[in-house]
Structure formats: C-alpha cells, structure tokens
Amino acid sequence: MSTSSTRATVQERELLEAARRGDEHAYTQLVEPHRRELHAHCYRMLGSVHDAEDALQEALLRAWRGLARFEGRSSLRSWLYTIATNTCLNAIERRPKRVLPIDYGPATDPHVAPGEPIVESVWLEPYPDAMLGLEGGLAAPEASYEQRESVELAFVAALQHLPATQRAVLLLREVLGYSAKEVAQTLNTTVASVNSALQRARTAIDERVPEQSQQATLRSLGEDGLREIVTRYVDAWERCDVEAFAAMLSEDATFAMPPLASWYQGRQAIATWAALGFYAWNAEDSRYRPFALNVLTLRGDQVSDVTAFIARSAEPRDREVFERYPDEPVDASKVGAVFESSGLPAWLDARPADSLDARSADSLDAKPAHS
C-alpha cells in the first residue's frame, strides 16, 4: 500500500472515531469525499435530482445515527452505498416512478395544441453532471457502464421501468462494479437471486436503450462535429426555420416537453407542430427569460430525440393559459435546477438580432446537456 493510501486510511480511522464521539464536523469530513457519487447513485435509482438530494440527506442522517453499528468489516464507502440504496428503495415504494412523456401516453396529433401539464412528480429530470463533478471512465474495473453513460437520459429512463430491486442490482453490479456477493449483502438476499435479477434487468435495459450510448456517439462526432450540430440546431430555432430544424431530425425522431404530457413522433409531425424557442421575451424586465432546456439525443449526426424541460409552473390553471405557456412567469426553482445547474444563463439581455444568434449559440454550445 502506498504512503498516501496509508495516510488516507489512518485519517479516515481518526475521523471515524471522532464522529462516533459526536463530532459532527469530523463526520462531514468523513462522508464528503463520497457525496457526489452517492448523489449520482440516488439519481439513477430515482430519476430526479431533487428526490436524489432528499434521499441522500436521509441516508447520511441514517449513517450518522448508526455510526456505532459500523464495525468496519466493509469499507465506509460500501456501507454508505448500502444505506443510500436501501433509502432509495424505501422512497420508490412511496411514490410513482419517474418517466418521460413518451412513456406516459401515446403521441399527440401535431395539429393539436399541447395539453395541460401533469403533476411534476411523475417526470424524469436531467442530470447536471458537470455541476456535480462526475468523472469519466469506469467507477471500477468490473463495471460495464461508464459513469457518464450511467446518467444519460435514455439509460436512466430505462432504469425507471425496472422493478426496484432489479434496478438496484443492475446499478450496483454494472455501474459500481460490485461482486454478486457484495450486492447480496447490500440487499440482504442471496447470490442466486442477485444473478437472476441481473439477467432480467440486462434484458429489459437492452430493449430500451439505443444501440450506441451518447458518450460513444459524442466521441465519434468529436468536439467540432458536436459544435456544428448544436450551432445548426440553435440557429434553426432562432430563425424559426422549421425546414432546417426538421432536416436535422431522424425519420423516427420524438419531441417531448415535460411537464406537458404532449409529445410528437416522426420528422414530419414534429415539423408540423414546431413553434417553441429556448428563451422567451419577458416584457416586464425587457430580457429573454429561460423557457425550455432542450436535451438532445443523437444518432450519428442526426437528432433522434428532443426532450425540452420547460421552466414554467405546472400548477392547475385554465387550459387557455397553457396555449400561451411561453408568456407565463418563469419558475425560478426550475431555472436554478435546470438552466443554471447546466451552466446556462438565467436570462439574455436584449441585443440587436445579428448578435443575439451568436451569443445564444455560444451559451448552449459551450455547456451541452448530456442526454
């Protein structure tokens, strides 16, 4: 063992002893190195950044209260993952699963205006991995998914369709690289049950996720290729050029807009409907305010799916209100959770049209959201 590893182990042991004596500061130092990865794990389990934060806080509180029972037979990291996983399993029992509109109901007729929003607790949320510092590569040599692949929208959406235990088994085995024995201990079950659940989970996930992950697609495109696609996409929206936008779509593309349940399928249907932008003009403060964060899923150099996370409240109101959704007041909590956490501005100042295009494209291009 290296000198640095030995020093880290000694420091962890000292912090653990201090925390057991009631030192809250020592406990914070003890768990802080694991916070980001635990948060990402809770997000994969629950499909919501907000629910993940709640689950993580509850798990860390449980760990604090149960420190006396930690005997050190496993690593502190494994113990924390056990508590976080079981906290998420309890949360899943208490609430409906998170989904995208394409899993909620049939596609909408493109000639029909979007309907009313559905209560927001049913919708999957995007994960701002850049803000949370998620590293690239594998979490462990035995893992099958890269860490960034494991928070892609398509993968997390597929996870939500698995029974809770299968979801936990797949994540612990394939994302974190746990052995079947370690997973069995975490979930208080048998190795045979873990292996059976993993086989079923793999089959279900393979049926739902794209053949190529977004990370693999991004690598094949390269930075210049990705920049060119994002710039064309933003430019088409800002010029209201539906034909140029439609040309970027795959033939079977989908376009969804949570919290609206409406979604559209097929290049022609999307082109018939398309009428929304990223930022909407706010006359009260003479600025462009966030309207929707468009998360793109790419298939080669085409866009196969667009999920536009709308920064407006879904509180019940007259139906006519939602036909003028861009004119509704901005939901500040969504701007913070979706736009700002993805590195996008909370507003755009009014400027001449010739400079607006460039600035908007740069803002979205510099911090593309991973789908």
Side-chain angles (χ1 to χ4, degrees):
M1 181 180 293
S2 67
T3 303
S4 60
S5 298
T6 303
R7 188 181 303 114
T9 301
V10 171
Q11 183 183 29
E12 183 178 287
R13 191 180 304 119
E14 292 174 348
L15 289 172
L16 179 59
E17 290 305 317
R20 281 173 168 161
R21 294 193 299 269
D23 188 334
E24 294 186 17
H25 180 66
Y27 177 69
T28 299
Q29 288 183 284
L30 190 65
V31 301
E32 191 61 32
H34 308 289
R35 179 181 290 275
R36 285 178 172 175
E37 61 174 325
L38 287 168
H39 187 279
H41 177 63
C42 292
Y43 167 75
R44 298 181 195 106
M45 286 287 294
L46 301 173
S48 162
V49 175
H50 293 93
D51 289 355
E53 185 62 35
D54 290 343
L56 178 57
Q57 293 301 324
E58 182 178 343
L60 293 179
L61 181 59
R62 288 184 180 184
W64 166 249
R65 292 172 174 171
L67 270 180
R69 297 191 298 273
F70 176 58
E71 300 175 353
R73 288 180 292 183
S74 64
S75 68
L76 175 70
R77 178 177 180 269
S78 294
W79 185 65
L80 291 173
Y81 265 105
T82 296
I83 297 173
T85 300
N86 284 288
T87 300
C88 289
L89 290 173
N90 291 337
I92 290 170
E93 291 180 354
R94 299 193 299 265
R95 61 148 179 83
K97 67 182 179 183
R98 295 271 184 163
V99 296
L100 292 173
I102 61 174
D103 298 312
Y104 191 83
T108 305
D109 184 326
H111 300 92
V112 176
E116 300 177 14
I118 304 298
V119 177
E120 294 170 33
S121 60
V122 306
W123 299 127
L124 193 71
E125 297 173 353
Y127 183 75
D129 57 353
M131 182 190 75
L132 296 179
L134 195 66
E135 299 295 333
L138 300 174
E142 300 80 8
S144 299
Y145 292 94
E146 295 180 15
Q147 292 193 72
R148 288 188 181 278
E149 286 180 334
S150 70
V151 292
E152 289 179 1
L153 201 60
F155 178 69
V156 176
L159 285 173
Q160 307 313 302
H161 291 276
L162 295 178
T165 300
Q166 288 185 28
R167 196 182 312 174
V169 167
L170 182 78
L171 291 174
L172 293 171
R173 289 282 282 124
E174 305 280 70
V175 174
L176 299 176
Y178 278 34
S179 68
K181 181 179 179 181
E182 289 172 322
V183 176
Q185 292 172 341
T186 296
L187 300 178
N188 194 27
T189 187
T190 64
V191 170
S193 295
V194 167
N195 290 334
S196 176
L198 179 61
Q199 184 176 7
R200 294 195 299 273
R202 282 172 173 167
T203 300
I205 290 294
D206 288 345
E207 291 175 352
R208 287 185 172 273
V209 298
E211 292 183 8
Q212 186 178 58
S213 73
Q214 286 300 282
Q215 296 307 304
T217 300
L218 294 177
R219 285 193 292 270
S220 67
L221 288 169
E223 290 187 10
D224 290 342
L226 177 60
R227 182 176 296 275
E228 190 271 337
I229 290 173
V230 174
T231 300
R232 285 170 51 210
Y233 184 87
V234 174
D235 180 65
W237 277 97
E238 291 190 336
R239 291 187 293 105
C240 297
D241 189 339
V242 174
E243 185 175 339
F245 166 62
M248 298 186 66
L249 303 176
S250 63
E251 191 63 40
D252 58 348
T254 66
F255 196 116
M257 302 164 291
L260 301 179
S262 306
W263 64 282
Y264 302 91
Q265 184 171 36
R267 179 188 296 156
Q268 186 57 50
I270 295 171
T272 299
W273 167 81
L276 297 178
F278 298 115
Y279 286 75
W281 178 252
N282 186 294
E284 292 184 3
D285 55 9
S286 298
R287 285 174 169 174
Y288 289 93
R289 289 290 186 178
F291 178 67
L293 174 68
N294 282 219
V295 178
L296 309 184
T297 298
L298 303 177
R299 188 187 303 153
D301 60 358
Q302 289 187 313
V303 177
S304 62
D305 303 278
V306 181
T307 308
F309 293 91
I310 297 177
R312 297 292 186 274
S313 172
E315 292 298 321
R317 281 166 288 177
D318 293 337
R319 184 180 182 86
E320 291 75 14
V321 168
F322 301 112
E323 295 178 3
R324 305 185 306 275
Y325 220 7
D327 298 329
E328 286 295 289
V330 171
D331 187 325
S333 64
K334 290 183 179 179
V335 172
V338 178
F339 274 76
E340 294 179 2
S341 64
S342 297
L344 299 175
W347 67 80
L348 294 176
D349 291 325
R351 297 166 308 115
D354 59 348
S355 58
L356 177 60
D357 287 355
R359 178 169 176 180
S360 298
D362 288 342
S363 298
L364 286 163
D365 194 336
K367 299 278 188 180
H370 295 290
S371 60

